[in-house]
Amino acid sequence: MPHILIVEDETIIRSALRRLLERNQYQVSEAGSVQEAQERFSIPSFDLIVSDLRLPGAPGTELIKLGQGKPVLIMTSYASLRSAVDSMKMGAVDYIAKPFDHDEMLQAVARILRDRQNTQSVPAERPAKAGIADKSTVDNSNGEIGIIGSCPPMLDMYNKIRKVAPTDSNVLIQGESGTGKELVARALHNLSRRAKAPMISVNCAAIPESLIESELFGHEKGAFTGASAGRAGLVEAADGGTLFLDEIGELPLEAQARLLRVLQEGEIRRVGSVQSQKVDVRLIAATHRDLKSLAKVGQFREDLYYRLHVIALKLPALRERGADVNEIANAFLARQSARIGRTDLKFAPDAERAISHYSWPGNVRELENAVERAVILCESPEISAELLGIDIELSDLQDDDFIGLAPQQGISNGNTSLDPTEDLSLEDYFQHFVLEHQDHMTETELARKLGVSRKCLWERRQRLGIPRRKTGVPSEG
């Protein structure tokens, strides 16, 4: 079981983070400062250190040296984003901006521990065979690609990644939600000359439209109500490195125009500023939408589309990857089993058949969730198809997506109270609630009431074909 050290001076945040990690089968220790961590623990003994940047006494970056090579994940606010990027240059493995949601933190922790395990388990002296993207070259000596699978479409993808990564060309990654587009983006970054510089990831669908220009390009003091101080944007923070814009099809047209300037001129202008500044950023974008069709109907800038479409990489859906599905499932099983300290778990024959024949509409993300849930609930050594839950109608909309909603209370809908534990399925409940309330609730309010993140709400809209209505909805600014 991985052992994680949390160093955070705010007791509420530290306790909440500890509970989150312990619920997900991590062993956790905590301290309120670098000095306390030194006095109480042998810092190099931990598998991962999660630390706030600003602490009483020494800053969190001091743990990079004290950890003697152990990965350090820095927590920081957007207001100190520049400092977070600087900490990565000092050796932090990654940073996460406050406030973060639970999924975001868990994904970051799992990715860092996985990358560290890959690096340790693969001999550095093993030579890579040029032009062959089999399993041995996918998980190479530095774990740069780290994508499981050897079906023909993926072998072709690995070859393209190796050819494209060393260049500074813009890349557009296309594929359904949950296929692993961010993994491809990270592989491109890790294999590029920018690997030691930061890779800044932004989900364009998760940021309110009223804030996205400020978040991406920064703003000056007084640029708008509430802008009490100037702030660098995420594009500026990616200077010298890679900017990954996930779901770029959701980017508003005004922000698209600013992004085009970055690509054409290599410069940005903060909101409210008359001064431009140069930036050196490689852009990788991803989408599950047809940008060319959106451009034809005026929903996406055609000039931006052609700027992005220099190199296009198409990720196949999981149902198109043949035997990769079982290989990926077994990798998830091994990872989740290690988390809870079990070595006896395996898929029953009916589970293996179900995994092979199920269409996996949620792709790799759905498969990972199904395996994680089965491992937690399994009481015998064999995991059955029933335990995976993939033969039920709502496999892509699980109970844990609604973790913030108290089922016994329901949510008031006019004169009725909807309860997802009674007659309505979770899918029916989600559709009914969103359609009934989206005219008078913001996306943030909808997500909060449903107990999910804005990103999860957006993904469910896309999956279920529920368009986002913009008329009559109060501003989120």
Side-chain angles (χ1 to χ4, degrees), residues 2 150 164 178 184 260 276 408 469:
S150 54
V164 173
V184 173
L260 185 63
S276 296
Q408 68 274 18
R469 295 180 187 171

Side-chain angles (χ1 to χ4, degrees), residues 82-109:
R82 184 77 258 173
S83 298
V85 175
D86 289 342
S87 72
M88 289 183 66
K89 293 178 180 178
M90 295 171 64
V93 68
D94 206 346
Y95 77 92
I96 188 166
K98 295 179 180 179
F100 47 80
D101 62 33
H102 289 183
D103 287 344
E104 185 182 7
M105 173 60 77
L106 292 174
Q107 288 169 8
V109 168

Side-chain angles (χ1 to χ4, degrees), residues 333 345-355 381-385 388:
L333 176 60
L345 294 180
K346 64 178 182 178
F347 293 118
D350 68 325
E352 292 182 343
R353 288 193 297 271
I355 289 170
E382 285 199 341
I383 294 175
S384 65
L388 283 170

Side-chain angles (χ1 to χ4, degrees), residues 233-377:
L234 296 171
V235 176
E236 191 175 338
D239 190 19
T242 302
L243 177 67
F244 173 55
L245 297 182
D246 196 8
E247 296 304 346
I248 196 170
E250 308 306 313
L251 198 64
L253 290 171
E254 295 83 357
Q256 290 179 32
R258 284 181 177 270
L259 181 60
L260 185 63
R261 181 181 181 88
V262 175
L263 300 181
Q264 288 179 332
E265 309 295 336
E267 61 184 29
I268 61 167
R269 182 181 298 167
R270 293 185 182 183
V271 176
S273 175
V274 295
Q275 301 288 332
S276 296
Q277 61 186 90
K278 290 290 184 180
V279 287
D280 174 23
V281 171
R282 186 202 192 166
L283 180 65
I284 300 175
T287 184
H288 76 287
R289 305 184 69 180
D290 185 343
L291 296 186
K292 190 171 185 179
S293 297
L294 292 179
K296 288 180 179 179
V297 296
Q299 295 182 19
F300 197 84
R301 291 184 64 108
E302 192 171 23
D303 46 5
L304 178 58
Y305 168 72
Y306 287 113
R307 280 279 179 177
L308 293 173
H309 203 265
V310 178
I311 301 290
L313 300 178
K314 174 71 173 177
L315 259 176
L318 189 55
R319 61 184 173 275
E320 300 168 353
R321 294 180 57 179
D324 282 2
V325 180
N326 290 88
E327 185 180 355
I328 296 168
N330 279 297
F332 287 150
L333 176 60
R335 184 188 307 165
Q336 296 299 334
S337 296
R339 277 189 178 183
I340 63 172
R342 292 189 64 172
T343 59
D344 60 333
L345 294 180
K346 64 178 182 178
F347 293 118
D350 68 325
E352 292 182 343
R353 288 193 297 271
I355 289 170
S356 298
H357 293 96
Y358 182 58
S359 62
W360 297 109
N363 292 294
V364 178
R365 186 182 296 124
E366 181 185 1
L367 173 58
E368 183 174 18
N369 291 340
V371 173
E372 180 178 359
R373 182 175 58 253
V375 167
I376 292 171
L377 299 178

